[in-house]
Amino acid sequence: MAKRVAVVSGGIGGLGTAICVALARMGCKVVAADLGGDAARVAAFESEVAGHDVAFAPLDVTDREACAALVDDVQQRHGSLDILVNAAGITRDATLRKMDGAQWDAVLAVNLDGVFNLTRPALVGMLARGFGRIVNISSVNGQTGQFGQANYAAAKAGMHGFTMSLAREVARKGVTVNSVSPGYCETAMVMAIPDGIRAGIVDQVPVGRLGKPEEIGRAVAFLAADDAGFITGANLPVNGGLFISF
Ligand code: CAA
C-alpha cells in the first residue's frame, strides 16, 4: 500500500517537530506546514528531521486561501492527504484585565480559526476516499483554564468542541477526529514562562517533570494509525497527571 500522507500544521514547532518524526517513523510521508519567515528556524528543523520522509511547506494557518492551496498541492504531489494534525498554536498570556484585542484576536485566529481553515479543505478528499485521521492538539489548559490564558484556554476548549462535533459528522465515512491535550512540555512556549512560575507549575505535576515532545508524538501516532478507527471524538490527555479526570 502507498504511504499514508500526513500534514502537520505548526510542524516545525516544539511539539510539531516531534509529531512529524513520530508519523514518519510510523511509515508516513509527512508535510510540515508552518510559517517560513525565519530561515534559521526552518534550517534547524530540516537538520532535526534529516533522514525521515518529512518536507517543509510554508503556511500561515490564518490565511484561509493558502490553507486550501496547500491541501490541493499536497494531494496533487502525493496523491492523497490521509492524516491532518492541527498543531499550530501560539500564546499571548495576560490577565484579562490587561489583555488587549490584538492578544485575543491573534490567539483565536491561529489556534482556532486555523483549525477550521485547514480541516475544511482537507476533509473533502478524506470523505471522497473514505479514510481520514484528524488529530487536534488542544491543551490541559483548555480543560482546566489557566491564570493569564483566557484567550488560549477558550481556543483550546473550542478545539475540542470542534473535535466532538466533526467526529459525529464524519464517523460513517472512515474519518476519525480526536484531540490530544498535552500538559507542560519541554518546548520554547513553556520555557518562555517566567522561571518562578514555571517551577511552581512543575511542582504540581504528579510525574514531577515537564513532558517530552516525543511523548506527544507517540500519542498522535497512536490516534493516526490505520487500526485506530474505533476511537473518535475522544480527548487523550498527556499531562503527567496534572489534570486527572474521568
Ligand atoms: N493563580 C492565582 N494567582 C496568581 C497566579 C495563579 N496561577 N499567578 C499569579 N498570581 C497572582 C500574583 O501572585 C499577583 O498577585 P499580587 O497582585 O497580589 O502580587 C497577581 O496574580 C498578578 O500576577 P502577575 O504578577 O504574574 O501578573 P502579570 O501580569 O505580571 O503576569 C501572566 C501574568 C503573564 C499571565 C503570568 O502570571 C504568567 O506568565 N503565568 C503563566 C501562564 C501560563 O501557565 N501559561 C502557559 C504557557 S505554556 C502553554 O500554554 C502550553 C500548554 O498548553 C500547557
Side-chain angles (χ1 to χ4, degrees):
M1 200 177 77
K3 280 185 159 193
R4 293 289 188 197
V5 178
V7 168
V8 181
S9 80
I12 73 173
L15 297 183
T17 304
I19 292 167
C20 289
V21 170
L23 292 174
R25 287 215 170 105
M26 194 171 85
C28 299
K29 176 176 281 298
V30 183
V31 176
D34 206 322
L35 295 175
D38 184 342
R41 191 166 167 253
V42 175
F45 168 78
E46 284 176 337
S47 73
E48 208 166 324
V49 299
H52 296 289
D53 194 352
V54 179
F56 169 70
L59 177 71
D60 177 349
V61 294
T62 68
D63 182 338
R64 195 165 289 165
E65 279 157 29
C67 287
L70 177 109
V71 169
D72 281 348
D73 184 61
V74 167
Q75 293 181 143
Q76 263 168 35
R77 266 176 215 261
H78 306 302
S80 196
L81 195 176
D82 309 300
I83 298 166
L84 172 63
V85 183
N86 287 303
I90 60 169
T91 53
R92 295 287 183 273
D93 293 351
T95 53
L96 192 72
R97 197 168 53 83
K98 293 183 190 165
M99 189 181 293
D100 61 25
Q103 289 170 307
W104 174 267
D105 290 345
V107 169
L108 272 289
V110 174
N111 299 18
L112 192 54
D113 297 345
V115 176
F116 170 81
N117 292 344
L118 203 47
T119 306
R120 172 81 185 46
L123 188 65
V124 177
M126 290 179 180
L127 294 175
R129 290 183 295 270
F131 179 88
R133 297 280 180 267
I134 298 170
V135 183
N136 295 321
I137 307 303
S138 182
S139 166
V140 65
N141 292 345
Q143 299 176 278
T144 62
Q146 172 61 304
F147 189 99
Q149 286 203 306
N151 49 1
Y152 184 87
K156 293 299 189 180
M159 281 178 95
H160 190 58
F162 176 98
T163 294
M164 294 189 289
S165 300
L166 184 58
R168 291 180 188 274
E169 292 179 18
V170 298
R172 299 277 170 108
K173 308 288 185 191
V175 180
T176 66
V177 191
N178 293 289
S179 300
V180 170
S181 290
Y184 287 77
C185 295
E186 290 167 6
T187 62
M189 183 186 277
V190 167
M191 291 320 192
I193 303 170
D195 287 350
I197 295 178
R198 193 177 60 250
I201 291 168
V202 175
D203 274 349
Q204 293 163 35
V205 178
V207 167
R209 61 170 172 84
L210 296 173
K212 298 183 192 311
E214 307 83 76
E215 292 171 319
I216 307 304
R218 176 164 172 71
V220 173
F222 169 71
L223 292 171
D226 277 23
D227 59 3
F230 205 56
I231 308 174
T232 197
N235 177 50
L236 178 50
V238 188
N239 61 31
L242 180 60
F243 178 57
I244 296 178
S245 69
F246 186 49

